[in-house]
Amino acid sequence: MLNRIYFGDNLAIMKSLPAESVDLIYIDPPFNTGKVQARTRIHTVRSAENGDRTGFGGQRYVTIRVGSSAYVDAFDDYLAFLEPRLLEAYRLLKPDGSLYFHIDYREVHYCKVLLDGIFGRESFINEIIWAYDYGGKPRSRWPAKHDNILFYAKNPRHFTFNVEAIDREPYLAPGLVGAEKAARGKLPTDVWWHTIVGTNSREKTGYPTQKPLGVIDRIIRASSNPGDLVLDFFAGSGTVGESCLKQGRRFILIDNNPAALEVMRQRFAGVNEVEWLDWNGR
């Protein structure tokens, strides 16, 4: 089948998909911060007379606002919103499939209890900590510089985990392990140090909560095989789709935010293997 990108309510779309048809699910749902998440994209043009900022070599530039992306990240009952979607996720996973649930410190404890109830506590494999060091640092508490990724297997005794396909990291003390091991590197632990998508990064799409391709690549390499089907039903900027295209997996992406669909249309422009489906306009 072609890769699919759906515009519409993820719950209704998931209910239309066949049971046990998906090999891997990664989701990065809204974190329920109560804030409007937004990013504004700008373009600068050199202007000695009207410039509002100074650039390289002291040149003056005028700033032009070219667009923005935003969504409201707040729910009156966050777990009630998630539960039917996670029940559908469980139904859609193949018997050897896995779910990676990306969340932050505000909600992770409640979400784990919810997932334990759906998958079973024995199906909880890992809590991955994605650590970064970017942004403001409050002086009244320890700065929060990590996200949590909960890893569940539908069958904890039989699930895909390609340990040899995982990218390796340098040893902190290579002199203690010998030249051969040092050259090969070590497997990552459950703490992943990876920068966020920087303002000037080539990855940057302008979507507010875009996650780094390196983090998604690691998950997809480890927990799926070439030709497998990967689902992201909070697709956002479409990073899961880009990773799948690069690594020979198929994908289904779902989002109900017009700004997300616009970002994905730009991201996948020229890709012929994508079917665009407007569920709202059925």
Side-chain angles (χ1 to χ4, degrees), residues 177-188:
V177 299
E180 184 177 344
K181 277 191 172 182
R184 188 182 181 201
K186 65 182 180 70
L187 283 170

Side-chain angles (χ1 to χ4, degrees), residues 26 102 192 211-221 239-240 243 247:
Y26 166 88
H102 192 142
W192 298 358
K211 298 304 182 288
L213 192 57
V215 170
I216 306 303
D217 282 350
R218 179 175 288 177
I219 291 170
I220 288 176
R221 278 195 297 267
T239 301
V240 163
S243 181
Q247 299 183 84

